[in-house]
Amino acid sequence: LMITGLTTGAKIYYRISSTLDANGTMLTDQSAVHELTPIDFTEVKDAADWASWGADEIMYQLLVRTFADGGATKTVTNSTTESGIDDTKRDGVGDLVGLRKSLPYLKDLGADAIWMTPVFKSKSYHGYDTTDFYDIDPSVGSIKDFVDLTTEAHAAGIKIILDLVENHVADVNPWFVAGSDPKSPDYDKYHNWFVWSDEYTNMLTDKHPWDASSLIWACKNYQCYHQIFSGSMPELNYRNPEVRAEMKKIAAFWVNLGADGYRLDASKHIDQFDDNNAIALAKHGTHVWWKEFNSYVKKTIVRPMGSAQVILAGENRWDDPASYTNMLPYGSGMDSQFDFPFRSIVGAFVNGQTGASADFVNYTKKLQADLANPSLGGNPNHFFERFLSNHDLERPATQFESAGAALDAKLKQAATIVLTMPGMPVIYYGEEFGKKGKRDKFTGTESWDRDEFIREPMSWFKTNVFSGDMTTGWNIDYVKTNEANLALGLDYGTTVGPNPDYPFIKFMSSNELASWDAQKDAPTSLFNYYKKLISIRKAHSVLTDLAATLTVVTDSADKYEYTLQNGTEKLTVVLNRKSSAAMTTTAAMSTDLISGTQGTSFNIPAFGAVVLTNN
């Protein structure tokens, strides 16, 4: 239904009437009186309004509760003025205090921004089913702890990115509890914050976005509501202006407390019904919302002088590179998004494939060129987050573990690709050590694979102490582990498994070689390789220049060579695809930025890399 000729800010009232001639019998129906107040917004267009800083920086992703234990949870009466963590004790749960105390580690690594998976009050350990958008989950601290974190992070030159789940809430969120209970005094206020079926809905025919066998409806109190992730996560109704206003209010609340932007969870699912009905982009509820929300955070929220522009990074997931065009329209409503097809191509490359399925440079060139085409819905200021894994995906050390003795070399090669391509590299915690993990069963008797195994505790220590018998519950004994590692002098401790209701850890060992302790002093370790690559990226702006010219020089079964060039600099990256060492030569005297070697001939180890400059 399109209503034209409206005036911004002027409330209107309307009914919807319908008439049907059913073989001579006239059937009529009329809705109740509806009301709406038209709003307007100025779409973000100018280059200066976009958070372009992201393309120049490194993002580090972590789960607060499994990253660093800075103390034990304590009860507070005022979350804004009292710390929720007693730093004289440990409870095995990572928290905002532990994260704050680990900022020197992240700064030393080279991280410029931290993306934390959700830290708001929620129903589940993972935080993706919010119960209160205006407070911190007590297990990880308080609002004061968040403010202290942002203050110290900003002083260190590190930005804080919150994970904002706008698509749905928990079924125990007070909004849904009231909106689903006709006896609640707030039923009328919150009922239409969600999407409900009516007597004309055929719930069996509505298309689920990724599982044709699933329904997008669940029921409570004899009412059926829209959901796509599960019945415990009802979808919010963005056709209700009150929902839109509330999400803007939430965004402003946390930016005013120091947040620098948002990772937008499930951002492609805001209006599933416009997807199902193939609504044009200009009117599509999902795309219109993100343009409106982006305008609000950029033009309405007032930030302190000198603050970076608020960044919006969308999770619009299509893993198949052939589907990359689906990502383009989101370029006009958010600064960046996570490049899942790029990850698929890098995976194919590291696993030995050749040709178009593994040609990440030409994929990147095509994607960036199409982003600049306004007819495809994109925006030339948009950039992509490029990554190897995240909290939902198999870690590369497990993904490529069939490489055996060559695993370390392949992990370094994968890191080289991500950190020498334009866009914003994202490092998932522990990836810099080769930490393992994937969705899996522990005992083999569980009914489904568990995400917890991708989210195991940060590998600070080489020496870990476990409890349990691996069949009823194998978890880190954080007390004994911290005691065993006192000599390391860290001001924070290791954590237990992420889910307190499922105390299993599968991919860590008592002698953890994929750890900070085991690798920090080893010059050839994966950890120090990451640090070297990050320092190279920061020293050579051509690697972050979205307008740099990318050229594939050689794409063969033995070697993949590409160049990045702008008006001031040219770098050449050569990747050895062979299981034995290889030589590469240059016409002029060059320097390998990784090893520091100079010459016109360079030895590249098996599955190794060189980054060459002749400047």
Side-chain angles (χ1 to χ4, degrees):
L1 174 67
M2 300 300 296
I3 306 176
T4 59
L6 305 180
T7 302
T8 301
K11 183 176 290 188
I12 69 164
Y13 302 87
Y14 64 97
R15 292 181 186 272
I16 302 173
S17 300
S18 61
T19 303
L20 173 67
D21 184 347
N23 297 322
T25 300
M26 299 302 294
L27 304 176
T28 62
D29 195 17
Q30 187 176 69
S31 74
V33 174
H34 299 288
E35 66 177 56
L36 64 84
T37 303
I39 66 168
D40 196 11
F41 65 91
T42 302
E43 189 174 339
V44 174
K45 294 287 188 181
D46 295 342
D49 290 333
W50 295 92
S52 57
W53 57 263
D56 297 329
E57 300 193 353
I58 307 285
M59 184 183 286
Y60 191 92
Q61 183 202 353
L62 54 85
L63 280 72
V64 171
R65 66 178 299 119
T66 54
F67 191 67
D69 178 13
T73 300
K74 66 178 182 180
T75 302
V76 300
T77 56
N78 188 330
S79 180
T80 63
T81 61
E82 300 174 69
S83 171
I85 302 297
D86 179 353
D87 65 2
T88 66
K89 304 175 182 178
R90 294 279 186 268
D91 61 5
V93 177
D95 48 59
L96 295 173
V97 171
L99 175 54
R100 176 168 55 81
K101 291 180 177 181
S102 66
L103 288 173
Y105 165 80
L106 295 170
K107 185 68 176 178
D108 179 63
L109 177 65
D112 302 294
I114 300 169
W115 155 31
M116 304 181 292
T117 56
V119 293
F120 308 136
K121 286 185 175 179
S122 62
K123 177 181 178 180
S124 303
Y125 83 92
H126 52 67
Y128 285 98
D129 44 5
T130 315
T131 58
D132 185 351
F133 285 98
Y134 294 100
D135 206 355
I136 296 292
D137 181 342
S139 70
V140 302
S142 65
I143 291 177
K144 181 184 186 302
D145 293 316
F146 175 78
V147 173
D148 290 346
L149 169 66
T150 61
T151 300
E152 197 163 320
H154 292 161
I158 296 175
K159 300 176 181 70
I160 299 296
I161 311 301
L162 286 171
D163 206 323
L164 184 59
V165 187
E166 295 192 29
N167 182 69
H168 53 266
V169 297
D171 58 353
V172 294
N173 184 299
W175 302 343
F176 186 72
V177 171
S180 61
D181 181 5
K183 296 180 181 179
S184 169
D186 289 326
Y187 177 78
D188 289 338
K189 174 177 174 59
Y190 289 114
H191 183 69
N192 285 325
W193 283 40
F194 302 90
V195 181
W196 303 90
S197 68
D198 59 25
E199 64 268 35
Y200 306 109
T201 304
N202 186 342
M203 292 185 289
L204 299 177
T205 62
D206 288 314
K207 182 181 176 183
H208 191 280
W210 66 80
D211 185 352
S213 66
S214 293
L215 300 178
I216 66 170
W217 300 96
C219 302
K220 181 180 181 180
N221 296 335
Y222 301 101
Q223 304 167 99
C224 295
Y225 57 92
H226 177 40
Q227 59 80 28
I228 57 175
F229 288 98
S230 79
S232 64
M233 299 182 188
E235 305 271 317
L236 287 164
N237 176 19
Y238 281 84
R239 303 187 185 193
N240 184 336
E242 292 181 359
V243 172
R244 299 167 96 92
E246 187 70 18
M247 283 300 154
K248 293 174 185 176
K249 179 182 173 185
I250 291 164
F253 180 84
W254 292 102
V255 168
N256 290 335
L257 291 176
D260 296 289
Y262 298 101
R263 181 261 189 184
L264 305 170
D265 181 70
S267 49
K268 73 176 188 176
H269 295 300
I270 294 297
D271 197 321
Q272 182 62 38
F273 298 96
D274 276 2
D275 272 357
N276 289 353
N277 292 287
I279 300 300
L281 294 178
K283 299 175 182 177
H284 194 296
T286 298
H287 295 289
V288 172
W289 165 245
W290 290 126
K291 290 177 182 179
E292 179 183 331
F293 186 71
N294 189 39
S295 177
Y296 177 81
V297 299
K298 299 294 197 298
K299 296 179 177 294
T300 302
I301 300 176
V302 178
R303 303 207 74 197
M305 186 70 67
S307 296
Q309 187 61 273
V310 174
I311 192 172
L312 299 181
E315 183 204 22
N316 309 309
R317 182 175 177 177
W318 285 276
D319 292 309
D320 184 355
S323 301
Y324 83 95
T325 54
N326 292 328
M327 301 190 298
L328 299 177
Y330 294 91
S332 58
M334 51 188 67
D335 301 281
S336 60
Q337 57 190 305
F338 292 84
D339 195 348
F340 287 89
F342 181 85
R343 175 184 178 269
S344 297
I345 294 171
V346 173
F349 184 97
V350 176
N351 276 325
Q353 295 183 37
T354 59
S357 65
D359 187 358
F360 55 87
V361 169
N362 280 318
Y363 162 81
T364 301
K365 288 173 62 177
K366 176 66 173 170
L367 179 57
Q368 204 66 39
D370 286 350
L371 267 175
N373 184 347
S375 69
L376 299 175
N379 159 35
N381 301 294
H382 191 81
F383 60 91
F384 285 85
E385 272 90 5
R386 303 227 149 89
F387 60 98
L388 296 175
S389 61
N390 67 21
H391 62 289
D392 290 326
L393 299 168
E394 189 172 36
R395 287 179 174 273
T398 299
Q399 182 184 3
F400 307 131
E401 66 181 343
S402 62
L407 176 60
D408 183 69
K410 289 205 168 190
L411 292 178
K412 289 175 178 176
Q413 190 169 86
T416 304
I417 294 171
V418 170
L419 288 161
T420 59
M421 291 296 289
M424 188 180 202
V426 183
I427 300 168
Y428 185 47
Y429 77 104
E431 188 177 284
E432 66 270 36
F433 312 131
K435 187 174 175 64
K436 293 186 177 182
K438 68 175 181 177
R439 297 187 75 248
D440 205 356
K441 294 178 174 62
F442 192 87
T443 64
T445 60
E446 300 97 324
S447 57
W448 63 79
D449 292 342
R450 309 289 304 213
D451 290 316
E452 289 91 330
F453 296 128
I454 314 172
R455 307 165 183 175
E456 293 186 351
M458 175 63 168
S459 298
W460 295 114
F461 302 138
K462 181 180 178 182
T463 301
N464 296 313
V465 180
F466 292 91
S467 59
D469 58 11
M470 295 185 67
T471 57
T472 58
W474 183 40
N475 204 351
I476 287 183
D477 184 326
Y478 69 92
V479 174
K480 292 182 180 178
T481 297
N482 290 331
E483 289 175 350
N485 292 279
L486 282 175
L488 293 174
L490 297 182
D491 198 21
Y492 46 85
T494 194
T495 68
V496 297
N499 187 347
D501 298 322
Y502 190 81
F504 291 101
I505 292 175
K506 184 168 186 174
F507 291 99
M508 298 177 71
S509 66
S510 56
N511 183 35
E512 186 56 71
L513 299 180
S515 64
W516 172 76
D517 184 23
Q519 296 189 16
K520 60 185 174 62
D521 298 322
T524 62
S525 67
L526 181 62
F527 171 61
N528 282 304
Y529 190 81
Y530 263 86
K531 291 179 67 175
K532 170 62 74 172
L533 286 174
I534 291 170
S535 67
I536 291 171
R537 186 177 182 88
K538 290 178 180 291
H540 296 271
S541 60
V542 69
L543 294 173
T544 61
D545 186 350
L546 297 178
T549 299
L550 304 178
T551 304
V552 176
V553 178
T554 304
D555 183 2
S556 70
D558 293 337
K559 180 171 74 171
Y560 189 88
E561 179 178 343
Y562 56 99
T563 61
L564 304 96
Q565 185 170 8
N566 58 17
T568 59
E569 189 175 17
K570 178 180 179 181
L571 294 182
T572 299
V573 182
V574 186
L575 304 176
N576 180 8
R577 304 175 105 164
K578 297 167 57 179
S579 59
S580 58
M583 297 294 296
T584 190
T585 59
T586 60
M589 183 70 66
S590 301
T591 301
D592 173 23
L593 297 175
I594 296 176
S595 66
T597 304
Q598 293 183 319
T600 57
S601 181
F602 298 88
N603 181 66
I604 311 178
F607 303 115
V610 291
V611 179
L612 303 174
T613 178
N614 56 12
N615 287 358

